[in-house]
Amino acid sequence: MSNKLSPGKNNILNINLLIRDIWRTGQLRLFLLTLILVVASFAASERIFGQLESSLGNQVSLLVGSDREVLRNRAIPNDWVLQSQLLDIQSTQVIELGSMLASEEAFQLSSLLVVEDTYPIKGEVLIAPSLAVTRGKPAQHPQPGQIWISPKIAQVLKVDVGQTITVGKQPLTISAIIVREPGDVSGLVGLAPRALMHLKDLDSTGLVRPGSRVSYRWLLSGSENNLENMHQWLEPKLDSARSWRDPSSQESSGRLLKRIRNFLGISTLIALLMGTASLAMAGYRFSQQQRQRVALWRCLGASRKQLLSQYSILLLVIAVIGTAVGILLGLGLSSWVLNLVADSIPLGVQQIGLKTLLSPFVTGLGLVATFLYPVILNTINQSPLTVLRSDIHGAKIPLLHWLPGIFLVAGIAWYWSENWKLWITMVVGLSVLMAILMITGRLLVKLVYRIGKSRGGVYAVTA
């Protein structure tokens, strides 16, 4: 008769008994909690960027305010405008320049848009009658002698609708607060806040002089066929091929999306790297706690195969539960964030795609498989005599066991950064930080040991 334990109902290795027994160890619960938080941050970032990418891609024309645009550092010639009219294309010229706005209280640098009566040709401007009102109503453009400003400008200058601010040499009356304006992404990418004024007031401000840095945007809207004909007519006259832009193309709209992805990527990478470091520590401590238990079961006759089977089931349960809860938490967090920005960004209908669920799910399973499974496997492969060793807590996990986790984190980092510079900067920076912390930790341990030894104390330092 074999002395090996069979996987029967009353077996000490019964999975229910095993889970109840191991669950009492705090390190496994810590690992599960950390896994939930890491997956939640990943799922939230995945959904937020996916929603922004989808919505901005579908509504980019409304966001920019045109179907096509021509960029120049000089005013648009009259024959261009006449040709657009002949092709039944709506057009308007927008002059964009940086300007300092002043009130009696403060100064604020702004991105000043000077518009014509035909502005906007696509999309709409939403304005509020005062700074205290957050919901805007559709409007066209400010009248001569008036200016519309963003809430940030109003807060800095400590002004509201009805008061006067100075633009260059010209005082203008604030007639509205801008809630949303086509092409305004200053809140997302950190540009100067917007202000709108009428073209008839530009000369009196004295802002445009020889050498002034002024950008002229000619916005066009019409049928695709007419726009293509306009492009062919304009092509020989354009300063460069980049002067003609299609807002729906990846080249034009991708800049905003790239900045959003970089922002979310950095925050996600920081959360991921901090989380995986915690996962690695919790997995290591958990494996150390299991060494005596595994060695005892081996002495009682359990085989490596039996232990591996039962622990694999336990880790699968932990992976599925932690990943599922993390995804639900991440979706809830992302919904909250998207609702916060819904009034400022045209998000459209919020949807949850397969990629939003699949990416964090695979990530969660991968984290368990690379950070917990290898150390448990190392524990199971130990000799039963380990239980009798006095230096059990000093057992080390081979570096080879950590390599899958390192490659997984590197892959996720590459997925989010999508450029070598950001990826290398993050890796090098965190590597240097880890090296500094390890050296500092070792020095502190030695210092504490020497202080304790000099004072006759006994300090037990365990791994």
Side-chain angles (χ1 to χ4, degrees):
M1 179 181 296
S2 174
N3 62 347
K4 298 282 180 129
L5 294 177
S6 61
K9 181 179 288 188
N10 298 324
N11 192 347
I12 191 174
L13 290 181
N14 181 272
I15 186 60
N16 295 326
L17 178 61
L18 182 69
I19 292 177
R20 287 197 301 267
D21 183 35
I22 295 178
W23 184 251
R24 298 189 185 99
T25 63
Q27 295 301 326
L28 186 60
R29 283 177 288 184
L30 177 61
F31 186 94
L32 177 60
L33 177 60
T34 307
L35 177 65
I36 291 174
L37 295 178
V38 172
V39 173
S41 64
F42 189 84
S45 299
E46 182 72 40
R47 186 190 176 195
I48 291 172
F49 177 76
Q51 185 66 44
L52 290 174
E53 185 177 38
S54 175
S55 299
L56 294 181
N58 294 334
Q59 303 185 35
V60 67
S61 294
L62 294 177
L63 182 71
V64 177
S66 65
D67 295 321
R68 301 290 189 275
E69 63 180 6
V70 177
L71 303 182
R72 287 171 56 89
N73 54 12
R74 303 184 300 277
I76 304 300
N78 291 330
D79 60 327
W80 292 20
V81 178
L82 179 60
Q83 180 65 22
S84 67
Q85 294 173 350
L86 293 176
L87 293 174
D88 195 23
I89 294 176
Q90 293 179 288
S91 68
T92 187
Q93 182 175 228
V94 176
I95 303 174
E96 191 169 355
L97 67 156
S99 175
M100 190 70 70
L101 306 184
S103 68
E104 295 180 356
E105 299 289 338
F107 298 88
Q108 172 62 43
L109 178 65
S110 73
S111 177
L112 184 63
L113 264 67
V114 183
V115 299
E116 300 176 320
D117 289 333
T118 52
Y119 181 86
I121 58 171
K122 198 163 188 177
E124 59 184 7
V125 183
L126 299 182
I127 60 173
S130 69
L131 186 59
V133 179
T134 58
R135 292 188 176 275
K137 295 181 179 180
Q140 293 298 316
H141 52 79
Q143 299 298 319
Q146 300 178 354
I147 188 172
W148 295 350
I149 60 176
S150 69
K152 183 178 180 180
I153 295 177
Q155 293 168 359
V156 173
L157 299 183
K158 299 179 181 179
V159 293
D160 207 336
V161 173
Q163 295 181 274
T164 300
I165 60 175
T166 302
V167 183
K169 301 177 181 179
Q170 180 68 26
L172 297 175
T173 302
I174 303 171
S175 58
I177 302 296
I178 302 173
V179 176
R180 183 191 299 169
E181 182 266 323
D184 183 11
V185 295
S186 57
L188 289 173
V189 296
L191 303 176
R194 296 266 196 167
L196 265 71
M197 60 175 286
H198 199 277
L199 179 62
K200 293 181 179 180
D201 294 320
L202 182 59
D203 291 338
S204 61
T205 62
L207 294 175
V208 180
R209 300 177 180 179
S212 298
R213 188 173 182 178
V214 182
S215 175
Y216 293 84
R217 294 170 55 210
W218 193 33
L219 308 183
L220 306 172
S221 179
S223 67
E224 287 295 324
N225 185 49
N226 291 342
L227 289 171
E228 184 59 31
N229 292 334
M230 186 70 193
H231 184 203
Q232 293 177 2
W233 185 86
L234 277 178
E235 195 168 12
K237 304 175 179 60
L238 296 176
D239 298 332
S240 67
R242 293 181 176 272
S243 298
W244 177 273
R245 299 177 62 187
D246 180 358
S248 62
S249 68
Q250 185 176 0
E251 179 180 358
S252 300
S253 61
R255 185 178 302 135
L256 172 60
L257 297 176
K258 184 178 180 180
R259 293 187 180 186
I260 295 174
R261 173 173 278 278
N262 284 342
F263 173 77
L264 291 177
I266 291 173
S267 59
T268 302
L269 285 178
I270 293 174
L272 175 67
L273 293 172
M274 293 179 63
T276 50
S278 300
L279 285 175
M281 291 296 296
Y284 175 73
R285 296 294 298 176
F286 174 68
S287 69
Q288 296 294 72
Q289 288 181 341
Q290 296 302 303
R291 286 182 178 274
Q292 287 182 323
R293 182 178 284 104
V294 170
L296 181 59
W297 281 334
R298 292 292 309 282
C299 291
L300 292 175
S303 66
R304 287 189 177 93
K305 184 178 180 180
Q306 288 175 316
L307 289 170
L308 182 61
S309 174
Q310 301 289 29
Y311 269 102
S312 297
I313 295 174
L314 175 62
L315 298 187
L316 180 61
V317 172
I318 292 297
V320 172
I321 292 177
T323 302
V325 175
I327 291 175
L328 292 177
L329 182 62
L331 294 179
L333 178 62
S334 63
S335 296
W336 178 69
V337 172
L338 291 173
N339 288 333
L340 285 180
V341 302
D343 293 334
S344 302
I345 304 175
L347 294 176
V349 180
Q350 297 188 22
Q351 298 178 348
I352 301 177
L354 179 61
K355 181 182 177 182
T356 306
L357 301 176
L358 186 60
S359 296
F361 184 77
V362 173
T363 299
L365 296 183
L367 291 173
V368 174
T370 56
F371 282 101
L372 190 55
Y373 188 81
V375 293
I376 290 298
L377 182 63
N378 181 74
T379 300
I380 293 175
N381 290 332
Q382 69 182 341
S383 170
L385 294 178
T386 304
V387 72
L388 302 176
R389 298 181 59 181
S390 59
D391 62 341
I392 179 174
H393 295 292
K396 303 297 182 181
I397 304 297
L399 178 62
L400 184 63
H401 286 237
W402 298 115
L403 287 180
I406 295 174
F407 285 128
L408 176 65
V409 173
I412 297 175
W414 171 254
Y415 171 80
W416 273 104
S417 63
E418 288 193 344
N419 68 76
W420 283 103
K421 291 183 179 179
L422 178 61
W423 189 84
I424 292 176
T425 301
M426 291 289 295
V427 171
V428 172
L430 289 169
S431 298
V432 172
L433 178 61
M434 290 176 62
I436 293 174
L437 292 177
M438 290 178 64
I439 295 173
T440 304
R442 289 179 181 271
L443 292 176
L444 288 176
V445 170
K446 291 182 178 180
L447 179 62
V448 171
Y449 177 77
R450 289 182 179 180
I451 294 175
K453 188 176 180 180
S454 65
R455 295 187 178 185
V458 179
Y459 284 75
V461 181
T462 60

